């Protein structure tokens, strides 16, 4: 049985970590939990997980934002499917969950960024999910 559930407590975040670690390889579990806790408290960050037979096989992190270029919108911070469970529609189901959550909560734009090397993900966002490529994201470490 497949279900999507919002993860609200530390125990659930830890259960999602092995999947999220595949995207956020630089984090250990403690760092992950601390960042999630702070983002939930300060930024209204949410994590939703897709369970297949009671096992987390995909996860997404998203949060509301306001910018002058998008106005009010939802930013998808993280979207990952376990490497052994890809191409089963889990990413699509999670993004559709985010789209539904967004509509229900008064947001009509969902935006995300994706690493330049992730060409399969780019095809997925553009061809399957109908996202438009509208910008590059730049980063400078200070």
């Amino acid at each position: 049985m497949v279900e999507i559930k919002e993860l609200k407590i530390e125990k659930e975040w830890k259960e999602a970590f092995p999947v999220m670690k595949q995207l956020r390889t630089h984090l250990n579990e403690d760092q992950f939990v601390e960042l999630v806790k702070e983002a939930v408290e300060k930024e209204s960050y949410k994590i939703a997980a897709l369970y297949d037979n009671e096992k987390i096989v995909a996860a997404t992190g998203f949060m509301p934002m306001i910018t002058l270029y998008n106005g009010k919108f939802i930013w998808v911070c993280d979207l990952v499917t376990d490497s052994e469970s890809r191409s089963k529609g889990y990413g699509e189901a999670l993004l559709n969950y985010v789209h539904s959550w967004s509509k229900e909560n008064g947001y009509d734009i969902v935006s995300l960024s994706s690493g330049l090397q992730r060409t399969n993900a780019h095809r997925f966002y553009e061809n399957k999910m109908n996202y438009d490529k509208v910008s590059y994201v730049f980063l400078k470490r200070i």
Side-chain angles (χ1 to χ4, degrees):
M1 181 177 108
V2 173
E3 80 169 313
I4 296 174
K5 176 179 144 185
E6 186 179 335
L7 309 181
K8 296 184 177 185
I9 60 172
E10 187 173 318
K11 176 183 177 286
E12 295 170 330
W13 303 336
K14 286 181 177 183
E15 290 169 3
F17 178 71
V19 172
M20 196 66 84
K21 172 78 173 165
Q22 294 176 39
L23 179 65
R24 304 296 176 219
T25 56
H26 63 288
L27 295 176
N28 65 40
E29 185 179 78
D30 290 339
Q31 293 167 322
F32 171 74
V33 168
E34 283 306 308
L35 286 170
V36 169
K37 182 178 179 186
E38 186 173 3
V40 166
E41 290 171 2
K42 294 182 179 176
E43 306 291 342
S44 300
Y45 177 83
K46 300 181 179 320
I47 293 183
L50 188 143
Y51 292 78
D52 190 349
N53 291 316
E54 300 181 16
K55 179 184 178 209
I56 294 176
V57 294
T60 186
F62 62 97
M63 62 187 186
M65 291 184 69
I66 300 172
T67 63
L68 297 179
Y69 59 90
N70 277 344
K72 284 179 48 172
F73 70 104
I74 297 301
W75 180 255
V76 178
C77 308
D78 319 283
L79 178 66
V80 60
T81 299
D82 181 76
S83 60
E84 310 223 345
S85 300
R86 296 205 173 123
S87 299
K88 296 182 179 179
Y90 298 150
E92 180 179 4
L94 274 175
L95 266 185
N96 284 331
Y97 172 88
V98 172
H99 298 163
S100 295
W101 188 97
S102 299
K103 276 185 202 170
E104 290 166 13
N105 289 278
Y107 298 90
D108 58 4
I109 295 174
V110 175
S111 187
L112 56 85
S113 69
S114 179
L116 293 172
Q117 76 284 4
R118 300 187 69 226
T119 53
N120 289 339
H122 303 165
R123 270 195 302 279
F124 166 73
Y125 296 131
E126 290 180 291
N127 300 338
K128 185 140 190 136
M129 301 306 297
N130 297 313
Y131 277 67
D132 296 319
K133 189 185 301 180
V134 296
S135 70
Y136 288 98
V137 174
F138 293 90
L139 173 77
K140 181 174 180 141
R141 298 195 188 277
I142 306 211

